[in-house]
Amino acid sequence: MAEDGTSGAVHLLCLAASSGVPLFCRSSRGGAPSRHQLPFSVIGSLNGVHMFGQNLDVTLRSARTEDTAVVWKTFHDSVTLIVLSSEPGCSELRLERLLELVFGAMVLLVGLEELTRIRNVERLKKELRATYGLIDSLLGDAELAGDLTQCVDCIAPGDGPLLQEALAGFAEEVGSVFASLVVGGRVVVGTEGWWRLGSPEAVLLPWLVGTLPAQAARDYPVYLPHGSPTVPHRLLTLMLLPRLELCVLCGPQPPLSQLEPQVLERWWQPVLEPLRACLALAPRAIPAGFSLHPDILGLLFLHLEQKRAFFTVDLGGEEGPSPRTRRRLLRSFYVLVTATHFPPGQQGSRLPRECRVGSPKSLAHVSLFSSEAGSSEEKAEEQGCPTGVPRACYVVSGAAAKGPEGREDPGAGLRLVAIQAGPRRLLLLVSPQSPTHALRGLATRTLHALTPFL
Amino acid sequence: MSGENTSRAWRERLHGQTPPLPAGKTEADVAVTARPSDAPASKEEEEAAESGESGDNRSRSPSYFSGSDNDDLEAEWSDSVQKYGELFYLELSDNEEESLLSEIPVVNHVRFSENEIIFDEDYLREGRKYEPRLKKFSKILKSRRLLPKRYKKKNSNGPVSILKHQPTQKMGIILQQRYKDVSVFVNPKNAMVLKAKEHLKLLEVLLGIIHQTKWKKRTEGTKLVVHGLLPGGPAMKSGQVLIGDILAAVNDVDVTSENIERVLSCIPGPMQQEILYHYPMSEASQKLKSVRGIFLTLCDMLENVAGTHVTSSSLSLNEKLVHVAYWKEDDKLLLIGLPAEEVPLPQLRSLIEDVAQTLKFMYGSLNSAFCEAENVARLDHFFNLFFQRAIQPEKLYSSTCTQSYDASFSLFTDTLPGVQWLTLPQETQMEIDMVLNDLEAADFAELSEDYYNMRRLYTILGCSLFFKGYLICSHLPKDDLIDITMYCRHYCLLPLVSEQRIGHLVIWREVFPRHHLQPASEPDAQVFQEPEGRYFLLIVGLKHYLLCVLLEAGGCASKAVGHPGPDCIYVDQVKATLLQLEGVEASLDERLASPSNPSLSCADWFLPSSRDKLESLTSSPLLTKLQYTSRAITSPSSRRRLFSDYSLKTRKLSPSRSNGGFENGVEGGEGGGSSPYTTLDPLPKQGAKEAQSPGGPQASSTLLKVTKKKATLPNPFHLGRQKKDLSEKEMELFEATKLTSGTENTLFHYVALETVQGIFITPTHEEVAQLNGSIHSQLIKNFHRCCLSIRAIFQQSLMYEKKKALNVEGNSESPHAASSLSPVKEHGVLFECSPENWTDQKKAPPVMAYWVVGRLFLKPKPQELYVCFHDSVTEIAIELAFKLSFGLAT
């Protein structure tokens, strides 16, 4: 348990709230799942302090040391999740959202009833094993940002309308309103219904598809944590191309067997080329033809009302930090911006969009709301005051870029800039060559250029 | 020891606790209330007699020099000297006193006197820690100035019996017929041990009363007759319980020989022993106290798991989020809890650090601050002030013009490790320096060693002088300066002098400055070794001046024995120094009244008022004014040189250094129509674009000033050393800024922190008051709030650098080093604002955008700069602004 025992590690503990029995513990180190686990005594104390406070009407929310943060959260008085992270730049915002999402993942695969009325702990433990894959991917280093931003990671395909049309037609034929094309956890196109899925399932479903082992077709029972936490639905996935999957969310009908090759072929054969193009596009997220300023090393572009986002660091520029570092920088910056400067209250009108799903049988009872503002975001510090609404901010990081001979150039630090315009927010990672005073202009132009995509 | 507190409950207590204060009480009142100023005469006499009796701790009293001519001075404050020689003497200015008297006549008669708190030994050792009831009791004792030592005397005199006033609080033994109330301190914990060992009755162990049931006479029934007293027992110590007395009641419970053991066993045992100190007694605070197990466990466990100290935790209490900050020292843990909505976490973290540092400065260590029972009243006062400062800073400032500014100002600047510095004209500066040097030399007749053929009592290590709350001269090392500033800040002395609310202030206390008390790393003959001395802080305030002097006893002065009180000679000399400085006051006032340097703009000027047409924004009066000023600026030759310098530099450097800004500025000058510099390099596209905006010319005028300053101060990073030999050039500089005064530029506000000298520079309150605008004051509030969060990020960067420095030795570069944002060296936020009461329904309110930018310089020494400026020149102004404030930091 020395210093290096936990540095850069994330430990997630799940316990039954009433009894304190551990349901599972997952750990990751340096972005990859790890077997190293916290000693049982530590798990006990972590849960103990929380329970002790609870008995006295004091809810322990979080604690921090110089480099570690711990967040506690109890869901439905039944399951307590604790996360202890010593990753550099770990923030409470990230950890709180992580816990929400982890619980969402548990509901997604096990169902809320099973979690709130624990009859047989051993059985529940076994059932929860199914969630390990998904949860591990949430803990680790993902290429996506949905776990943090609560927005669905998307790809802007070159031939969007074409694919959209094919998808809509296909969905209608199989009798579902929820269908989408997913590449590596990112949604290429989705039906109108699919976009109305609430949080967290909107983020979790593509994420789940991205983490499951490759299979030609699946029929996977899922609960929708927001829309239908107690009644399972079926998630049908069909691999159209390697890594490119067609997802359909439906009730008891139609059986997987009904999705015959002929149906698929009819709808998808004509758009095979656009589909292939999507594959190539996957890490870049925005069309290849779309040119960005060469100084831009990475971007995170969010539509806070639609809850969709582009997140990419694959924009060329061989020099500079590795893609992994770029992603981490952008994520850290997102946390900073969201927790400190752009409080969620001022993202414009966020109407709860209600939708009664038109599907006749199975889904009639499901009414889906897009989730209102992320609850953890709500209490972000510092509400904007009337005379000072933040619109943009930038950071010059001293984390110096490596010069040609591995020497650090002290003068040049990476720049990060964020601007907010209406519901859209753009975060850019910019190379050190770009002058500070040009950052805002660069961000504004980029935001305007990207606006058609979201 | 814990100073937990939350929210509303605390305030109630605060008001309840200090009833004589007027509702809108000011800081001076607080100081008066809590510390002796003057008191009812009768009591005073009594005290004087008392302190004369116990005069052993004043062995180094001023009597040494009493032959000299200061008898009259002694009379003023010498009565207020407290145990351990401490003194806090405050005499309000006449005006202030009158106004107070008219409000509430009693205010000057409220008084605590700390030298009166002498505890019974048992109590000192054990009592306080254990039992809340006893604690309360002791508070009553304190507040009524009842000394256990002379308890008997007082009681027999009769007039002040706490037992009659507070019957429920007592631990009384009432005797028959003529009932006697006797208070004794009992220690149940001690009793348990003794009882188990010797099979004694509780009556004997706890009270020291022997009652033999066998001896019982028929008439007595079950009455508890005192048959004997245990030698040294509480009953005997009290001196009031006599053999033959009958014990009637304990804590208002009637007792008989049958129930006495049960009643006594109900006295609460040592339940709270791990809490050394606790403030306040509010409901929320009690709640936090009840869950202290959480904090202790977290502190222990997380340290094991993470290998680093716990810094804070957050919990919800009655639906409210409360942050709790931790400070661990040795095996003691200090916790401070404050509601999150009032105090954001980064601020709380810096608050607890300040508290710990100030307490260490005052008491040597947290341990001695919290473990000495007699400190309780002082700590109560300390934390009362602390919470007031944290939660209702506005209440600490007078209700005059700049109130809101003061509150938002203190929000941010109180967290800075520095003190606000007022730049002065060289001449004035020199004069002050000389006066202070004279004092520091301690070459006055009475202090000369030859004169008395004795070693002097103290060496003057240095002093710092404040005028109206601004530091104007400091001859102290940075750490000492910061320690002293924190002390002054905590006791709100600076705003006090800024409004001349004091007639006369003398503070004397032993202090423990970290700079001098650091353990020597290695005994090395070459390196200066701090003597094993003791240190004393003497603060004398007179009208607008506050002079803090740090004295050293031991070393080359004689050793301090006991707890010396303030020495008349030194107080006198310091006072004389202040009187000597009265002559400079005029020029200081002039400096404060003179237009600021650099000149600031008011945010409201950038917004057309609701009547104005919107077009006025584009063809703004600003522009014309600026053109005018840029023409007004003189000495084109020097400008030419400077500009070419810069453009050369720019070509060499990469554009990322933002030097593009200068070129922009130059181009802007051309746009303004008055600049002859058409031969300069073609500009980057960005700049050309900027030049079209009205911001351009403004930038140029700012630039001119800046470059000028730049010329006089070739290396802004080593200003400290050059300070002395700049006189002529600096005068020029002052002239120059005066010349451009009245210019409007886009700079709204700035704070420059210079950690080497422990100072920061920001526009004076007077300057801000001059720019009186509704939006502007809002903007400044927002600026300070934003700076707080920017600074929190910089703190992380500094910590990261520290860690990196450690890692370099271990040769292990963290694999994630580059993946977190740290170290952040610059951080800017753009805000938009519009007038508050926009009545015009047809048009959208005009929008004004401004930047708040913070910049951290790590090398050669950490410096921080925060600026706020209008968006129109955003990109350009930044680097200028940095230079600007470095020019200031002389």
Side-chain angles (χ1 to χ4, degrees):
Chain A
M1 301 202 299
E3 258 182 74
D4 27 35
T6 47
S7 72
V10 186
H11 298 279
L12 177 80
L13 314 173
C14 175
L15 304 103
S18 50
S19 59
V21 176
L23 297 175
F24 65 83
C25 310
R26 306 303 299 169
S27 303
S28 99
R29 171 182 305 277
S34 140
R35 283 205 169 168
H36 175 92
Q37 292 210 333
L38 292 173
F40 190 76
S41 63
V42 171
I43 298 176
S45 324
L46 280 172
N47 185 48
V49 285
H50 185 250
M51 273 218 298
F52 172 66
Q54 206 92 53
N55 291 337
L56 292 163
D57 282 332
V58 173
T59 314
L60 182 60
R61 299 246 207 117
S62 59
R64 288 150 295 265
T65 76
E66 281 148 30
D67 63 359
T68 305
V70 189
V71 174
W72 289 261
K73 194 161 171 99
T74 300
F75 295 86
H76 297 273
D77 289 327
S78 161
V79 172
T80 302
L81 290 178
I82 305 171
V83 63
L84 183 147
S85 166
S86 54
E87 283 185 314
C90 63
S91 73
E92 268 156 69
L93 184 84
R94 142 96 174 132
L95 296 181
E96 276 172 16
R97 291 186 172 184
L98 177 70
L99 290 189
E100 303 252 341
L101 211 57
V102 165
F103 185 73
M106 288 162 66
V107 175
L108 187 80
L109 299 179
V110 177
L112 187 62
E113 204 156 339
E114 205 65 31
L115 292 170
T116 47
R117 276 180 228 143
I118 303 173
R119 272 156 296 198
N120 186 338
V121 173
E122 289 308 314
R123 212 184 84 192
L124 179 61
K125 274 189 193 173
K126 260 183 215 145
E127 283 182 25
L128 283 171
R129 272 185 209 163
T131 64
Y132 288 179
L134 181 54
I135 288 172
D136 283 346
S137 77
L138 292 173
L139 293 183
D141 250 356
E143 291 188 8
L144 312 177
D147 57 327
L148 184 63
T149 61
Q150 301 181 320
C151 295
V152 183
D153 287 282
C154 297
I155 288 174
D159 298 299
L162 221 61
L163 294 174
Q164 188 76 45
E165 204 177 302
L167 185 69
F170 173 80
E172 204 179 336
E173 177 156 345
V174 298
S176 168
V177 291
F178 306 104
S180 67
L181 280 176
V182 175
V183 180
R186 300 167 199 251
V187 176
V188 183
V189 284
T191 59
E192 209 174 306
W194 182 273
W195 289 123
R196 283 191 205 144
L197 284 173
S199 168
E201 51 260 40
V203 173
L204 281 171
L205 285 173
W207 199 294
L208 174 70
V209 173
T211 55
L212 289 174
Q215 263 160 3
R218 297 188 199 92
D219 188 344
Y220 208 85
V222 290
Y223 298 83
L224 303 180
H226 181 80
S228 164
T230 47
V231 179
H233 291 80
R234 292 164 62 223
L235 175 68
L236 307 181
T237 69
L238 298 153
M239 193 186 288
L240 297 181
L241 288 168
R243 295 184 59 232
L244 181 111
E245 305 195 63
L246 173 65
C247 305
V248 179
L249 200 59
C250 59
Q253 293 297 324
L256 186 60
S257 53
Q258 196 186 313
L259 303 176
E260 286 149 8
Q262 295 92 317
V263 185
L264 288 176
E265 235 161 71
R266 179 144 43 86
W267 288 104
W268 299 107
Q269 196 64 49
V271 290
L272 198 56
E273 275 318 302
L275 285 179
R276 288 228 168 85
C278 285
L279 275 186
L281 204 60
R284 190 181 147 93
I286 47 173
F290 184 80
S291 74
L292 286 167
H293 194 281
D295 280 349
I296 298 176
L297 300 178
L299 73 82
L300 174 58
F301 182 47
L302 306 140
H303 194 294
L304 298 162
E305 277 173 16
Q306 294 182 3
K307 293 257 166 205
R308 294 188 222 176
F310 293 133
F311 179 44
T312 175
V313 293
D314 225 321
L315 297 167
E318 285 303 306
E319 67 264 42
S322 66
R324 184 158 166 260
T325 307
R326 293 180 188 187
R327 274 194 289 268
R328 287 192 168 228
L329 281 169
L330 271 172
R331 288 174 70 106
S332 302
F333 188 53
Y334 173 84
V335 169
L336 170 74
V337 163
T338 310
T340 316
H341 299 306
F342 295 153
Q346 37 121 348
Q347 286 159 13
S349 55
R350 195 191 297 99
L351 303 166
R353 284 158 299 152
E354 185 179 346
C355 113
R356 281 236 151 224
V357 180
S359 166
K361 297 159 207 162
S362 62
L363 289 175
H365 60 279
V366 186
S367 74
L368 299 167
F369 296 83
S370 80
S371 87
E372 287 142 52
S375 59
S376 55
E377 207 175 7
E378 218 92 73
K379 55 179 188 293
E381 289 167 47
E382 295 184 55
Q383 294 303 305
C385 79
T387 50
V389 183
R391 287 284 171 236
C393 74
Y394 70 88
V395 154
V396 178
S397 167
K402 290 271 192 276
E405 287 131 44
R407 264 184 310 140
E408 287 191 15
D409 182 358
L414 289 164
R415 285 104 216 276
L416 289 134
V417 58
I419 60 167
Q420 172 118 15
R424 293 183 180 81
R425 183 186 296 173
L426 175 69
L427 286 77
L428 293 179
L429 175 67
V430 183
S431 85
Q433 299 136 31
S434 189
T436 321
H437 58 77
L439 285 179
R440 187 170 159 234
L442 178 67
T444 315
R445 284 194 299 277
T446 312
L447 180 76
H448 283 307
L450 285 171
T451 300
F453 293 113
L454 264 188
Chain B
M1 47 184 158
S2 71
E4 302 148 1
N5 170 63
T6 41
S7 69
R8 193 161 41 89
W10 173 79
R11 290 186 200 165
E12 282 160 17
R13 176 172 164 76
L14 178 73
H15 292 304
Q17 210 183 23
T18 55
L21 295 183
K25 64 184 166 306
T26 58
E27 169 277 327
D29 305 334
V30 175
V32 172
T33 318
R35 299 287 178 154
S37 53
D38 52 336
S42 61
K43 297 202 169 179
E44 188 126 321
E45 280 162 26
E46 203 179 300
E47 277 156 32
E50 191 72 15
S51 60
E53 279 165 30
S54 60
D56 55 336
N57 54 28
R58 300 183 64 192
S59 57
R60 281 159 54 92
S61 71
S63 56
Y64 176 149
F65 293 118
S66 61
S68 57
D69 53 354
N70 48 19
D71 298 21
D72 52 337
L73 279 173
E74 193 181 346
E76 280 173 31
W77 45 260
S78 59
D79 284 343
S80 307
V81 178
Q82 298 162 28
K83 198 190 177 192
Y84 301 132
E86 220 171 276
L87 172 68
F88 194 111
Y89 175 82
L90 174 63
E91 204 177 277
L92 292 177
S93 66
D94 293 346
N95 300 343
E96 192 66 27
E97 215 153 315
E98 267 165 36
S99 69
L100 277 178
L101 282 174
S102 63
E103 278 175 59
I104 286 230
V106 291
V107 76
N108 276 336
H109 303 294
V110 180
R111 153 161 208 186
F112 277 55
S113 183
E114 292 180 8
N115 57 339
E116 295 290 318
I117 305 161
I118 303 163
F119 295 96
D120 185 277
E121 268 185 13
D122 270 1
Y123 176 71
L124 241 183
R125 220 172 292 136
E126 288 123 349
R128 186 186 70 77
K129 299 172 196 167
Y130 298 136
E131 212 256 285
R133 212 166 195 181
L134 285 182
K135 200 167 173 180
K136 262 191 203 160
F137 181 45
S138 77
K139 285 219 173 109
I140 295 154
L141 268 185
K142 270 177 252 158
S143 62
R144 311 228 168 216
R145 312 180 324 104
L146 264 185
L147 313 181
K149 216 177 193 176
R150 37 174 204 168
Y151 178 74
K152 198 165 136 197
K153 187 175 80 189
K154 275 247 159 140
N155 214 25
S156 57
N157 293 346
V160 210
S161 168
I162 56 152
L163 302 173
K164 277 166 196 161
H165 292 201
Q166 303 277 341
T168 51
Q169 299 293 338
K170 76 192 168 191
M171 173 77 194
I173 302 171
I174 301 174
L175 299 179
Q176 215 183 6
Q177 286 180 347
R178 224 192 74 221
Y179 284 102
K180 282 195 278 191
D181 287 346
V182 180
S183 293
V184 293
F185 292 105
V186 297
N187 180 1
K189 187 187 171 198
N190 223 12
M192 294 307 155
V193 179
L194 269 176
K195 195 186 169 200
K197 236 190 269 171
E198 304 178 26
H199 307 285
L200 290 169
K201 288 185 198 162
L202 277 176
L203 184 62
E204 292 165 20
V205 181
L206 281 180
L207 302 179
I209 292 174
I210 299 168
H211 170 78
Q212 297 287 1
T213 31
K214 285 179 257 168
W215 294 5
K216 176 171 72 180
K217 294 171 195 163
R218 192 176 297 167
T219 50
E220 286 170 2
T222 55
K223 277 176 193 161
L224 263 173
V225 181
V226 177
H227 292 130
L229 297 172
L230 271 185
M236 182 173 266
K237 270 188 191 161
S238 79
Q240 284 182 289
V241 182
L242 305 172
I243 293 176
D245 286 350
I246 294 169
L247 181 59
V250 173
N251 283 350
D252 278 348
V253 179
D254 289 332
V255 290
T256 63
S257 60
E258 272 149 23
N259 70 357
I260 178 68
E261 289 296 298
R262 201 160 45 78
V263 169
L264 288 178
S265 69
C266 289
I267 293 173
M271 302 286 285
Q272 316 289 332
Q273 64 175 4
E274 73 261 38
I275 292 190
L276 295 174
Y277 177 78
H278 172 220
Y279 184 90
M281 294 295 168
S282 68
E283 192 191 329
S285 157
Q286 292 292 349
K287 191 118 217 182
L288 283 180
K289 197 171 103 177
S290 69
V291 294
R292 64 186 174 279
I294 293 183
F295 310 126
L296 294 170
T297 314
L298 281 180
C299 183
D300 230 42
M301 172 188 59
L302 286 184
E303 209 170 311
N304 282 335
V305 176
T308 47
H309 288 298
V310 180
T311 54
S312 63
S313 58
S314 314
L315 23 87
S316 13
L317 193 82
N318 306 333
E319 314 282 305
K320 266 194 170 181
L321 186 63
V322 175
H323 294 311
V324 178
Y326 295 60
W327 187 270
K328 200 174 180 198
E329 195 174 289
D330 303 329
D331 58 338
K332 309 285 194 300
L333 181 66
L334 171 69
L335 299 165
I336 295 180
L338 282 167
E341 60 183 33
E342 313 258 11
V343 181
L345 190 56
Q347 197 191 350
L348 178 62
R349 294 259 275 271
S350 82
L351 281 178
I352 196 171
E353 205 177 326
D354 286 356
V355 164
Q357 192 55 51
T358 311
L359 286 173
K360 275 196 253 180
F361 179 61
M362 291 168 66
Y363 297 102
S365 67
L366 291 192
N367 207 37
S368 57
F370 287 101
C371 294
E372 301 284 327
E374 61 195 348
N375 285 342
V376 171
R378 298 162 206 220
L379 290 174
D380 282 351
H381 176 238
F382 183 92
F383 282 104
N384 188 326
L385 279 176
F386 167 78
F387 284 123
Q388 198 158 338
R389 260 163 31 97
I391 294 185
Q392 309 167 292
E394 65 278 1
K395 291 227 166 175
L396 291 174
Y397 298 93
S398 72
S399 48
T400 50
C401 53
T402 54
Q403 183 188 16
S404 64
Y405 174 64
D406 280 329
S408 85
F409 174 82
S410 69
L411 173 79
F412 173 58
T413 52
D414 275 7
T415 67
L416 293 177
V419 52
Q420 186 171 4
W421 166 269
L422 185 69
T423 51
L424 295 177
Q426 189 66 21
E427 212 170 283
T428 322
Q429 185 76 59
M430 213 152 68
E431 201 176 332
I432 294 170
D433 271 332
M434 276 164 64
V435 172
L436 293 190
N437 281 340
D438 282 349
L439 171 70
E440 283 156 5
D443 200 15
F444 19 97
E446 294 92 334
L447 282 193
S448 77
E449 295 174 350
D450 300 334
Y451 192 81
Y452 286 103
N453 199 20
M454 283 178 78
R455 292 182 108 177
R456 67 186 64 196
L457 292 178
Y458 307 104
T459 316
I460 298 182
L461 289 179
C463 53
S464 46
L465 178 67
F466 294 85
F467 177 73
K468 290 195 175 177
Y470 307 107
L471 179 72
I472 53 174
C473 187
S474 172
H475 294 173
L476 282 169
K478 172 205 153 204
D479 283 347
D480 289 345
L481 176 65
I482 288 177
D483 277 345
I484 290 173
T485 308
M486 273 203 288
Y487 177 83
C488 293
R489 223 181 246 166
H490 192 89
Y491 287 95
C492 307
L493 301 179
L494 297 182
L496 197 65
V497 279
S498 71
E499 288 152 32
Q500 196 180 359
R501 308 176 64 208
I502 48 171
H504 187 191
L505 169 79
V506 182
I507 295 172
W508 172 273
R509 66 173 301 131
E510 178 162 14
V511 291
F512 304 85
R514 56 187 154 165
H515 179 77
H516 302 281
L517 295 171
Q518 276 158 0
S521 50
E522 269 174 47
D524 184 353
Q526 303 290 312
V527 180
F528 171 71
Q529 299 286 313
E530 291 285 348
E532 283 180 23
R534 288 169 63 184
Y535 300 87
F536 295 88
L537 174 66
L538 171 62
I539 300 178
V540 177
L542 215 55
K543 293 180 184 167
H544 287 306
Y545 283 115
L546 195 69
L547 184 54
C548 308
V549 185
L550 191 63
L551 304 164
E552 182 187 74
C556 55
S558 65
K559 279 213 160 58
V561 183
H563 299 284
D567 189 282
C568 281
I569 298 294
Y570 285 86
V571 176
D572 216 17
Q573 282 301 327
V574 173
K575 217 187 280 176
T577 307
L578 286 181
L579 290 171
Q580 216 178 326
L581 284 169
E582 266 183 354
V584 202
E585 209 173 320
S587 65
L588 292 177
D589 276 326
E590 196 184 320
R591 160 69 183 93
L592 280 177
S594 68
S596 52
N597 163 32
S599 56
L600 298 173
S601 290
C602 178
D604 299 62
W605 300 340
F606 288 82
L607 277 171
S609 64
S610 48
R611 316 186 285 280
D612 287 351
K613 288 180 181 172
L614 275 170
E615 292 90 81
S616 63
L617 187 66
T618 42
S619 66
S620 74
L622 218 89
L623 193 66
T624 48
K625 270 183 205 166
L626 284 163
Q627 284 171 348
Y628 162 72
T629 49
S630 56
R631 247 179 272 127
I633 290 167
T634 49
S635 70
S637 60
S638 74
R639 268 191 296 168
R640 191 187 299 273
R641 183 170 46 81
L642 285 165
F643 275 124
S644 47
D645 276 359
Y646 266 99
S647 51
L648 276 173
K649 225 187 208 169
T650 311
R651 255 176 271 137
K652 267 184 264 166
L653 287 171
S654 85
S656 66
R657 291 294 296 151
S658 302
N659 280 310
F662 287 96
E663 295 177 311
N664 287 351
V666 174
E667 179 76 357
E670 286 173 73
S674 60
S675 171
Y677 308 120
T678 43
T679 52
L680 286 174
D681 291 347
L683 296 165
K685 285 168 225 155
Q686 187 77 21
K689 206 166 143 197
E690 286 295 336
Q692 307 306 316
S693 77
Q698 297 159 32
S700 86
S701 67
T702 325
L703 174 68
L704 293 176
K705 275 182 282 166
V706 171
T707 45
K708 252 192 181 156
K709 249 167 249 158
K710 199 63 181 137
T712 54
L713 307 168
N715 189 345
F717 289 103
H718 300 288
L719 295 165
R721 263 182 277 145
Q722 297 166 358
K723 202 158 83 180
K724 298 273 144 64
D725 50 23
L726 270 175
S727 58
E728 265 187 47
K729 284 183 178 176
E730 208 162 48
M731 281 317 293
E732 218 176 272
L733 180 126
F734 273 89
E735 295 295 343
T737 50
K738 231 178 188 175
L739 186 92
T740 54
S741 71
T743 309
E744 277 145 315
N745 57 9
T746 55
L747 186 65
F748 293 141
H749 209 75
Y750 60 87
V751 174
L753 173 71
E754 222 263 298
T755 53
V756 185
Q757 296 173 59
I759 56 167
F760 68 83
I761 296 172
T762 186
T764 61
H765 297 215
E766 288 79 1
E767 284 168 38
V768 175
Q770 279 166 12
L771 301 170
N772 193 19
S774 62
I775 291 173
H776 193 70
S777 65
Q778 289 290 320
L779 174 139
I780 288 178
K781 203 181 262 178
N782 194 39
F783 167 74
H784 284 133
R785 206 173 11 214
C786 187
C787 287
L788 201 65
S789 41
I790 294 178
R791 180 146 206 276
I793 295 164
F794 287 167
Q795 291 295 96
Q796 284 171 14
S797 298
L798 288 169
M799 231 158 71
Y800 170 89
E801 287 294 319
K802 238 184 254 169
K803 232 184 232 170
K804 210 172 82 178
L806 288 176
N807 273 352
V808 165
E809 289 160 27
N811 194 27
S812 65
E813 190 159 334
S814 164
H816 309 297
S819 49
S820 71
L821 288 179
S822 290
V824 172
K825 55 183 188 184
E826 186 174 320
H827 185 24
V829 186
L830 177 76
F831 291 95
E832 268 180 14
C833 70
S834 36
E836 257 172 313
N837 305 313
W838 186 253
T839 45
D840 195 341
Q841 296 288 333
K842 289 172 202 160
K843 286 176 199 157
V847 173
M848 202 262 303
Y850 60 93
W851 284 94
V852 176
V853 177
R855 173 119 194 169
L856 175 70
F857 298 87
L858 286 166
K859 286 167 188 171
K861 281 285 174 183
Q863 287 173 325
E864 291 167 36
L865 176 70
Y866 305 88
V867 284
C868 179
F869 50 83
H870 189 252
D871 181 38
S872 58
V873 285
T874 150
E875 286 81 43
I876 303 162
I878 169 140
E879 202 77 4
L880 301 181
F882 292 139
K883 304 248 186 315
L884 210 68
S885 63
F886 278 122
L888 273 175
T890 38

